[in-house]
Amino acid sequence: MDASEDELAPEVRSILAAARDRPGGETRVSVDARSFPDAVAAAEAEGRVPLVAEVKPTSPTTEGTRGDDPVELAREMVDGGATALSVLTEPEHFGGSAENLRRVREAVDVPVLRKDFLVSEAQLDAVEADVVLLIARFVGDDLSELLAAARERGFQVLVEVHDRAELARALDAGADIVGVNNRDLAKLDVDLETFESVAPHVPDDVTLLAESGVSTVEDVRRMRAAGADALLVGTAIMDGDVRANTDRFTTAEISE
């Protein structure tokens, strides 16, 4: 473990270790992806806040596990106005699976993000999705290579960053969809000012997401005012009626 990894929270180090041990797919995938930027633009045109609602059975930072059928949850989120969905495929810490994603993507017509912790090219081949996640801090110097490998398969790529240095690396690698994670991977604290400090340095032609920590309509408005093109929300959607929760966030600006 290098020095930078030693700074990660124990839960995050465990996630990263498990990711490195997880095998990839047996055959190379080729994806005909639904356009996430187009979906964001369509939501804006309809007057809705572009929202990526997350099917998240559990996580190291939440209590308990939600055992609903992922497909039913996904349909309720889309009915509530979700622009896209995020589906966890990490099994050990988040209760996800590739099969959950496969079933959800077959059941809905919106873009679907594979939320996982990918660290090798072979892992891209585990399941088809419209968007895959690459976490700048996890993949390090392999970011450019993995970004290119994902695009060669037809994926769109969400590159997650936490600070301006990681943003610079993402932009240098050619990222055109960037997410700023408000959760500190060292302490697991959430601070919405993280997004506000990074967002001004993101070029206008990059689709920008705010990730983590959005729990109220006021948070939605705050992140949008700071420049978020879309928001990725998991816990606050999964806590209760997912359709009603999704609707509340997607109409946050209408209800001002």
Side-chain angles (χ1 to χ4, degrees):
M1 181 169 58
D2 63 33
S4 63
E5 287 182 33
D6 192 44
E7 296 171 358
L8 298 173
E11 298 91 336
V12 179
R13 291 202 302 268
S14 178
I15 290 168
L16 183 54
R20 287 175 172 155
D21 289 340
R22 208 152 58 247
E26 295 182 0
T27 58
R28 182 185 174 105
V29 301
S30 179
V31 178
D32 182 15
R34 303 160 187 165
S35 172
F36 177 67
D38 285 355
V40 169
E44 291 273 15
E46 295 170 6
R48 292 184 288 113
V49 174
L51 182 76
V52 183
E54 188 160 85
V55 180
K56 182 168 71 171
T58 189
S59 83
T61 57
T62 57
E63 294 183 1
T65 299
R66 183 149 182 178
D68 308 51
D69 181 356
V71 170
E72 292 307 312
L73 290 171
R75 286 174 172 154
E76 287 294 299
M77 292 171 180
V78 172
D79 288 346
T83 296
L85 300 176
S86 170
V87 179
L88 267 297
T89 58
E90 201 282 341
E92 296 182 39
H93 301 82
F94 292 85
S97 71
E99 181 61 21
N100 284 352
L101 187 148
R102 189 177 295 109
R103 291 180 60 230
V104 166
R105 190 164 181 258
E106 289 176 352
V108 301
D109 57 4
V110 301
V112 177
L113 163 70
R114 178 185 175 191
K115 183 73 172 293
D116 208 328
F117 307 90
L118 308 178
V119 293
S120 71
E121 180 174 345
Q123 290 172 342
L124 293 167
D125 297 320
V127 64
E128 292 185 13
D130 301 293
V131 189
V132 292
L133 173 70
L134 294 178
I135 300 175
R137 188 162 185 179
F138 278 13
V139 301
D141 294 338
D142 295 331
L143 178 58
S144 293
E145 181 180 336
L146 288 172
L147 181 62
R151 287 175 172 164
E152 288 169 1
R153 290 161 168 79
F155 292 112
Q156 298 161 94
V157 183
L158 168 62
V159 179
E160 179 179 298
V161 304
H162 184 264
D163 56 30
R164 287 180 60 184
E166 291 179 357
L167 172 64
R169 287 203 295 114
L171 297 177
D172 287 345
D176 56 6
I177 305 173
V178 169
V180 179
N181 192 344
N182 289 308
R183 187 179 301 280
D184 182 347
L185 296 181
K187 300 178 181 178
L188 296 182
D189 295 338
V190 173
D191 186 351
L192 297 185
E193 290 185 5
T194 301
F195 181 87
E196 292 168 330
S197 69
V198 176
H201 306 282
V202 178
D204 291 341
D205 60 352
V206 170
T207 301
L208 178 61
L209 283 76
E211 305 176 31
S212 299
V214 173
S215 58
T216 67
V217 293
E218 289 75 18
D219 293 338
V220 172
R221 294 167 188 159
R222 178 177 171 181
M223 293 294 90
R224 291 280 282 169
D229 296 309
L231 299 95
L232 192 156
V233 183
T235 301
I237 295 291
M238 294 291 289
D239 184 14
D241 185 325
V242 298
R243 179 173 180 172
N245 290 340
T246 304
D247 178 72
R248 183 170 67 256
F249 289 132
T250 58
T251 59
E253 293 174 339
I254 298 173
S255 60
E256 284 184 273

